[in-house]
Amino acid sequence: NAGVMQNPRHLVRRRGQEARLRCSPMKGHSHVYWYRQLPEEGLKFMVYLQKENIIDESGMPKERFSAEFPKEGPSILRIQQVVRGDSAAYFCASSPVTGNNQPQHFGDGTRLSIL
Amino acid sequence: QKEVEQNSGPLSVPEGAIASLNCTYSDRGSQSFFWYRQYSGKSPELIMFIYSNGDKEDGRFTAQLNKASQYVSLLIRDSQPSDSATYLCAGDGGATNKLIFGTGTLLAVQP
């Protein structure tokens, strides 16, 4: 499967635990974007990364959330001390290069549920 | 605050008709616009993108862009029940290519 791969597909955490969401971009893509979709709402941009660099984190909450895209391995979105309001679908998208006109292709998402 | 606005619908059309989905955007600096289809519980799937004024056709789909009016639309000809989904309009949000999404329009094609 050459598409954007996200895992896990579903993740259940209790309040106060940590959630780690993983994303491997499409083959040949070096740009990764994370979006969050709350129930009955649209997709909201969170963060844009290239290998070993955070380019734009303007949509990321200032506390408890962090993201990385190491030289080797998938991009990780980490949520510490989760709260019920973190329950959402988290989508990762990738593109081959940055700049306008570059469509982003989405993975299947991780559905995060907080008990 | 850059915004993309869509009518949430639902937009109901009979099978075989033309479905017209509309979107407006606030940021005149946006250059590229994307239409994604999202089935319930699934991920967004890219349908079309457009960055030049005018029309762009791909099979049963036509995207239209009018930068002067800050208006984007998607026409679906010969609508099928399988086209029933939420259609998300997105514009590029600046130099980093982040996408600004509308809340989506729910399309229901009636057999």
Side-chain angles (χ1 to χ4, degrees):
Chain A
N1 187 342
V4 179
M5 302 299 293
Q6 288 188 251
N7 68 81
R9 293 290 302 277
H10 300 275
L11 182 61
V12 179
R13 285 287 177 267
R14 296 188 179 280
R15 282 179 294 170
Q17 292 184 320
E18 178 179 290
R20 285 194 178 217
L21 288 61
R22 296 174 186 77
C23 170
S24 296
M26 285 180 70
K27 188 175 183 180
H29 288 193
S30 57
H31 301 256
V32 166
Y33 305 79
W34 286 93
Y35 294 84
R36 176 167 64 177
Q37 189 171 37
L38 293 167
E40 307 305 323
E41 292 190 16
L43 284 152
K44 301 292 185 186
F45 168 79
M46 298 182 74
V47 62
Y48 159 46
L49 310 103
Q50 296 177 23
K51 286 285 187 182
E52 300 184 282
N53 283 301
I54 297 175
I55 307 301
D56 182 352
E57 56 181 348
S58 59
M60 193 96 95
K62 293 292 186 286
E63 297 179 351
R64 303 187 298 108
F65 285 73
S66 62
E68 63 176 3
F69 190 12
K71 186 176 180 181
E72 301 291 337
S75 175
I76 306 287
L77 179 67
R78 181 183 179 203
I79 312 172
Q80 295 178 290
Q81 300 173 350
V82 296
V83 300
R84 288 236 171 96
D86 297 332
S87 295
Y90 292 81
F91 290 100
C92 170
S94 72
S95 69
V97 295
T98 189
N100 296 329
N101 311 331
Q102 298 301 323
Q104 296 173 22
H105 297 271
F106 283 79
D108 287 337
T110 294
R111 272 75 180 171
L112 176 63
S113 298
I114 308 303
L115 301 180
Chain B
Q1 180 81 1
K2 299 175 183 177
E3 291 186 343
V4 173
E5 301 281 347
Q6 294 182 258
N7 188 321
S8 62
L11 173 66
S12 183
V13 300
E15 184 175 356
I18 296 175
S20 178
L21 302 157
N22 305 313
C23 169
T24 59
Y25 60 96
S26 64
D27 182 14
R28 285 196 173 274
S30 293
Q31 298 292 314
S32 306
F33 299 88
F34 304 84
W35 283 98
Y36 288 84
R37 177 175 63 197
Q38 187 175 28
Y39 294 110
S40 181
K42 302 296 184 182
S43 63
E45 174 192 6
L46 181 68
I47 298 295
M48 291 193 71
F49 63 96
I50 187 168
Y51 50 85
S52 297
N53 268 329
D55 297 359
K56 179 181 178 182
E57 187 174 319
D58 183 1
R60 295 188 297 114
F61 299 95
T62 299
Q64 299 174 317
L65 173 60
N66 183 325
K67 292 188 177 181
S69 301
Q70 296 177 248
Y71 179 89
V72 192
S73 65
L74 179 70
L75 301 178
I76 306 175
R77 289 181 296 282
D78 188 23
S79 296
Q80 301 297 309
S82 59
D83 294 326
S84 298
T86 295
Y87 288 80
L88 303 170
C89 173
D92 71 87
T96 60
N97 207 33
K98 66 184 179 186
L99 296 179
I100 309 297
F101 280 88
T103 52
T105 297
L106 178 61
L107 172 66
V109 180
Q110 307 298 329

